[in-house]
């Protein structure tokens, strides 16, 4: 609704981008129930600002410490059962699929990796965390972080927002 141009999106494991991908068409079937991927760090922040203005609430990307608090629970031990990782299918699934965390949050143990507000190095890169549909079972650690180019979107990286609340 803001007319913001699509970020350049790529497969984070491929050296060359052959297929044009966008958050609307990331290279696999998506519906409104799937996490938005192919969004850059700037896109995620712009959405948080837009939503904050629209609702009057304050939304932002989580910090690495906040993420670790929601993602550091033990699953069943079966990474394919606990989250949407590379278990033989391409692309994301509806966010309600898979088990919820003890806090009732879905998709923490897989589906799409997620942008965090924290940066890496000189802040040319920003941290992403979690497990995505392209990660294999041996890399299915939802608290693992890595730095990615914050100007690009990736077909297995999306975002989650936190809403700031005032203490009672």
């Amino acid at each position: 609704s803001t007319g913001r141009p699509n970020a350049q999106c790529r497969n984070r494991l491929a050296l060359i981008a052959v297929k044009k991908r966008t958050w609307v068409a990331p290279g696999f079937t998506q519906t409104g129930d799937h996490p938005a991927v192919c969004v850059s760090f700037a896109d995620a922040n712009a959405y948080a600002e837009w939503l904050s203005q629209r609702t009057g609430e304050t939304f932002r990307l989580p910090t690495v410490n906040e993420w670790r608090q929601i993602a550091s629970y033990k699953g069943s031990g079966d990474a394919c059962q606990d989250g949407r990782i590379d278990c033989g299918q391409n692309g994301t699934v509806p966010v309600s699929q898979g088990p919820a965390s003890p806090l009732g949050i879905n998709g923490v143990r897989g589906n799409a990796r997620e942008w965090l507000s924290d940066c890496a190095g000189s802040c040319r890169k920003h941290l992403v965390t979690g497990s995505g549909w392209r990660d294999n079972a041996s890399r299915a650690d939802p608290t693992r972080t890595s730095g990615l180019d914050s100007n690009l979107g990736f077909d297995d990286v999306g975002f989650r927002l936190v809403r700031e609340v005032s203490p009672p």
Side-chain angles (χ1 to χ4, degrees):
S1 68
T2 63
R4 184 178 173 81
N6 291 331
Q8 180 184 0
C9 179
R10 58 182 292 241
N11 169 339
R12 74 179 159 84
L13 302 179
L15 297 176
I16 299 173
V18 176
K19 190 189 304 186
K20 182 164 174 59
R21 301 164 192 262
T22 67
W23 69 271
V24 176
F28 46 85
T29 303
Q30 291 263 100
T31 68
D33 295 339
H34 290 241
V37 294
C38 284
V39 292
S40 68
F41 174 80
D43 292 337
N45 275 317
Y47 182 80
E49 289 176 24
W50 173 84
L51 186 61
S52 295
Q53 290 173 355
R54 185 173 178 140
T55 64
E57 304 282 347
T58 301
F59 290 90
R60 61 176 172 75
L61 292 172
T63 66
V64 69
N65 289 332
E66 289 168 333
W67 177 261
R68 287 189 177 133
Q69 289 178 38
I70 67 166
S72 61
Y73 65 95
K74 295 194 185 308
S76 71
D78 180 338
C80 292
Q81 178 182 324
D82 287 347
R84 178 66 179 96
I85 60 167
D86 185 6
C87 297
Q89 298 177 353
N90 278 338
T92 61
V93 296
V95 295
S96 61
Q97 189 169 321
S101 76
L103 297 174
I105 302 170
N106 289 86
V108 174
R109 300 191 76 81
N111 211 7
R113 300 187 78 206
E114 301 180 25
W115 289 108
L116 295 172
S117 61
D118 304 89
C119 59
S122 63
C123 283
R124 291 196 63 222
K125 293 184 176 187
H126 274 80
L127 292 180
V128 295
T129 192
S131 300
W133 62 267
R134 190 174 269 121
D135 293 318
N136 62 37
S138 67
R139 294 176 47 119
D141 176 0
T143 61
R144 174 178 52 98
T145 60
S146 56
L148 292 180
D149 184 335
S150 55
N151 295 314
L152 296 175
F154 299 90
D155 65 359
D156 62 344
V157 176
F159 65 98
R160 173 182 318 259
L161 298 178
V162 296
R163 181 173 57 93
E164 293 184 3
V165 294
S166 301

